[in-house]
Structure formats: structure tokens, C-alpha cells
Amino acid sequence: MQRAAMDPAEEPPSMLWGLDPVFSAFARLYVRDILVMTESTQVPGIYFYKLHPIYKVDVLGTVVYKRERDDFFCYGVDDGTGVINCLCWKNDLFKEEDPAPSGAQHSDGAQGGFNLVAELKKLRETQRSRCRLEIGELLRVRGPVKTSRQQREIMASTFYKVDDPVMAVQVAWMMDVPQLYRLCYDKPPQLQPDAAGDSPISVVGKATNIIKDFFKQKSVTRFRPYDVQDLLQPLIPCQPQTASADQEPVAGPSACQQLRQLLKEALQVLQDEGVVYRKVKSQDEVYNVRTIRDVSIPPVTRQLVTLVRTPAVAPSQVTARDTDLLIAVKDVIREDSRREKYAEKGCHILHVLSAVRQRHSLNVSKATLQLVLKSLECNSDIVSTSEDHYTAF
């Protein structure tokens, strides 16, 4: 079936395609979206999904039909939304003949020695079995998208059979792909810079860097939003004044409103990074800069800065050192590591997060906890037994 081409008026210029991270990655799209993607009018072989330029994809599905030729396999892959042809070229393993082992090598193998030829033969057979699939088996394929005989297909650069007896891989895939759609694919790409030459994301990034530098230079321990609001003033573009009194003002947010919104977004970014978390919600927006300082903490980890939003207190407590969160995390891991349930593998980060929220604050985020765990691990107060598992001795 002939697919409609992209409207030249809507298609972004090819010089800006590299600004979209989706363009250089294997996009995990549903098969139904791959089949209906519009093709570029500027460069053949490039397709667009909601203005995202795409030319290579990553698909996981079940083989519903197969054809084998001398040089390639042709699999029909069904991911539950549609079926697409995947052209998988055979490598040299299918063309080489296994050498017959010699008598000496047979005698070495009979005596319990290492038979190199036999082991190579087993390796080739394993690789061949991973590339030759039957109907009903699970296949993962990566490669560029092509149109052949008015049919969309994938020219596989990498393909292999996936062993998934308990469907763990498929469940993880079905959880990751919808999240990629929400966070990336369904959002319009930020390819066009604004009049000032900066995108909104870069302005927020500059604001967060200014606030972080201010904390490091001034050793701030307590502040309110209006204390750092003036630091972001240079990032707000000046509004042109009206030429005459009769001219009506242009509708839009004022410079003060833009400044408050920028400060709000910058603090939200710091919160997402784990640098900021709200310990107590209150109307008085007082932020404490908690620098973890302790005689048992090395200088490297003293750079860990935590911002905590707490009710206003007397100015005399500005210089007080606060290690409540650090102590809470250490105590949770030390106490729970002694339990039989966590003695072997250690405490998972989500378990630690739940316990810290009950003991310290409900507003502690996972990113904030990761910063504290990294600091404790650098000081050898805790040990990472495996990915996201920690224990203390």
C-alpha cells in the first residue's frame, strides 16, 4: 500500500534533524506506527512520527511466518499491534563448514583435556540457533526502515532469538515503550530556537546553574525564593517599550511573572535531580541549604548539598549543621541489614526509600536518596552488594 508523503510545509528542515535525539537512536515504536509513518520529501528513507525524524527502529515480537533463502531469512514479526517484515541477512556462520576434528584432538577430549575444535563447533551451533527461529518464538530486531514494493520492512542490522520462559522481557518491554511514548515520541521535538537563540530548556538549565553556583560561592544555609530571584533577572528578555501613549500594550505575561515562573521551574528541576526536596509543606517558603558536614565524611562527599523546605525559624539557626537525613539513611540500612530477609542481598533502594519516608520525611525523593547513598558509599559507611541493593557492616 502506498504511504502518503510528508507535507513539505510541515516537514522540519533536514539541517535540524540532528537536534532531535530520536533521530540517532533506535526508536522503540509499535509496528502499527512504523507502518503508517510518513516518508520525508527531502531525503528518501527518512520517516516521520509526529515530526520526529526516524530511520532505524527497535522491535520485539513473535514470529508469525518465516521464509528462508540462501542469503537471508525473512520473518514476519507481530508485536500485538501489527505485523512487519524483517529481512535478516545470514552471516558467515551459515556458510562455513565445521572442520572435522583430528584423531589427536579426539584423544585429548577423551582424556578430559580441552578440545578447541569441539568447543568452537558448539559455539557456532549456539549462534546459529539464536539466528534461526521458528514460528511462535520471540525475536528482537534492530535496523533501518525501508520501503520495498510499496511495503514497509526492517533491514535487520542486529537480530536474535529471545528466551523468555516467564515473559519477563515482554512485560518489561510493555512497561518501557508506553513511557517512551509519553515522555518522548508523542511530544513535539524542540528543533526551532526562539528569537533570542535559546530554547526554553536551556534557559531553565542556566537558571539552575546560577542557583547552584550561588550556593557554592556564598555557602548559603537558608534562603527564601525572593532572595535568589534577582539572580535570574538577566535571563528574562527585556520587553520593548511602547512608541507612543496611544499605542495599546501587547498582551502577555509581564517580566515579573516570567521571572517567578522561571524560578519555579528551576527549583522543580533541582527537585527532580534530587538536590531539592520538601521536608514540610508550609505557606512560608523557607529553604534550608543543608550541607552534610561530619568528621567521618571525607571532603569529597562534603560537596553534597541538600535543600529542604521547612517552616520559618529564627535567624540564629542559620548556621546550624543538619545531618538528620544522612543519619536516618544509615540507621535504616544498618538495622535492616541485620534482618534475615536482607542479610544476604542487602536492602533495596525502594525499601530504604519507604523506611526513610516513614522515619524522616514523606517528601524525600528517590533522586535525593541516591545522592545520599552515593555519599555514604564513598565513605564506606555502606556497601553496594548489587544493583540498587545496599548493606552495612
Side-chain angles (χ1 to χ4, degrees):
M1 180 176 63
Q2 183 67 30
R3 303 300 190 277
M6 188 75 177
D7 187 359
E10 299 179 357
E11 183 177 337
S14 59
M15 294 182 61
L16 302 178
W17 291 352
L19 299 177
D20 191 349
V22 180
F23 180 68
S24 57
F26 288 93
R28 294 188 180 184
L29 296 176
Y30 294 121
V31 171
R32 67 183 179 193
D33 295 327
I34 299 176
L35 297 176
V36 299
M37 288 191 305
T38 55
E39 189 171 6
S40 171
T41 57
Q42 303 179 54
V43 181
I46 304 297
Y47 303 87
F48 285 93
Y49 175 78
K50 294 187 177 181
L51 297 182
H52 288 284
I54 293 173
Y55 76 97
K56 53 184 180 180
V57 295
D58 188 356
V59 173
L60 177 71
T62 305
V63 177
V64 294
Y65 67 84
K66 59 171 292 187
R67 295 198 310 269
E68 182 177 358
R69 298 293 184 267
D70 294 338
D71 296 329
F72 62 88
F73 298 101
C74 184
Y75 297 114
V77 179
D78 184 0
D79 70 341
T81 65
V83 181
I84 189 171
N85 292 333
C86 299
L87 191 62
C88 306
W89 294 94
K90 294 181 179 180
N91 53 21
D92 296 336
L93 292 175
F94 291 92
K95 301 177 182 179
E96 295 178 355
E97 295 183 357
D98 295 329
S102 61
Q105 291 170 334
H106 268 301
S107 60
D108 293 340
Q111 296 176 1
F114 180 76
N115 193 332
L116 178 60
V117 176
E119 295 299 327
L120 288 176
K121 183 178 180 181
K122 292 180 182 178
L123 178 61
R124 289 193 180 96
E125 291 177 352
T126 302
Q127 292 178 331
R128 290 173 183 175
S129 64
R130 301 282 290 182
C131 297
R132 179 179 280 109
L133 286 85
E134 301 296 334
I135 295 177
E137 293 181 329
L138 194 63
L139 172 66
R140 183 171 183 180
V141 57
R142 285 183 169 188
V145 181
K146 302 294 182 182
T147 301
S148 177
R149 299 178 181 178
Q150 300 182 0
Q151 295 292 331
R152 204 64 57 80
E153 63 183 13
I154 301 176
M155 302 288 292
S157 57
T158 302
F159 69 99
Y160 57 89
K161 180 174 66 174
V162 178
D163 295 328
D164 191 22
V166 295
M167 302 185 67
V169 177
Q170 299 179 67
V171 171
W173 186 275
M174 288 186 292
M175 295 178 62
D176 293 340
V177 173
Q179 186 175 6
L180 288 174
Y181 269 85
R182 288 192 300 267
L183 300 179
C184 185
Y185 302 149
D186 288 340
K187 291 185 177 181
Q190 301 291 338
L191 301 181
Q192 295 292 343
D194 58 8
D198 295 328
S199 64
I201 299 179
S202 64
V203 174
V204 175
K206 292 179 181 178
T208 56
N209 292 333
I210 290 176
I211 297 176
K212 290 179 181 179
D213 294 339
F214 175 72
F215 295 152
K216 294 179 181 179
Q217 295 174 3
K218 303 297 182 180
S219 300
V220 178
T221 57
R222 184 183 299 276
F223 75 98
R224 288 180 172 86
Y226 58 75
D227 294 330
V228 297
Q229 183 171 306
D230 293 339
L231 299 175
L232 310 182
Q233 185 65 45
L235 301 178
I236 304 300
C238 299
Q239 296 182 352
Q241 299 180 354
T242 56
S244 61
D246 298 337
Q247 186 175 359
E248 296 182 358
V250 180
S254 62
C256 184
Q257 292 175 341
Q258 296 180 21
L259 185 60
R260 288 197 295 267
Q261 180 65 24
L262 179 61
L263 178 60
K264 180 180 178 181
E265 294 178 0
L267 293 177
Q268 183 62 42
V269 170
L270 293 174
Q271 192 174 18
D272 295 339
E273 292 178 354
V275 180
V276 177
Y277 75 96
R278 301 172 59 183
K279 182 178 180 180
V280 179
K281 294 183 179 180
S282 62
Q283 295 180 354
D284 190 6
E285 296 187 5
V286 179
Y287 288 79
N288 287 353
V289 183
R290 291 186 175 181
T291 306
I292 299 178
R293 298 181 183 273
D294 190 86
V295 293
S296 62
I297 303 178
V300 176
T301 59
R302 289 181 181 177
Q303 299 177 358
L304 178 62
V305 178
T306 309
L307 307 181
V308 184
R309 183 178 180 179
T310 61
V313 295
S316 59
Q317 299 182 8
V318 168
T319 58
R321 294 181 297 181
D322 191 348
T323 58
D324 294 343
L325 179 60
L326 181 68
I327 295 175
V329 175
K330 290 171 60 176
D331 291 343
V332 168
I333 298 178
R334 185 183 298 110
E335 295 172 3
D336 291 353
S337 296
R338 299 171 182 174
R339 298 168 56 184
E340 183 179 358
K341 182 178 179 180
Y342 306 104
E344 180 178 357
K345 196 172 182 180
C347 302
H348 193 270
I349 184 174
L350 296 181
H351 168 76
V352 179
L353 179 61
S354 177
V356 171
R357 284 176 175 175
Q358 295 178 6
R359 180 176 301 188
H360 182 71
S361 173
L362 295 175
N363 301 299
V364 177
S365 65
K366 183 179 179 181
T368 302
L369 180 61
Q370 288 175 336
L371 291 179
V372 178
L373 291 174
K374 183 178 180 180
S375 174
L376 294 174
E377 190 175 6
C378 291
N379 194 36
S380 299
D381 291 328
I382 61 174
V383 178
S384 176
T385 57
S386 61
E387 185 178 3
D388 294 337
H389 286 80
Y390 299 89
T391 187
F393 300 103

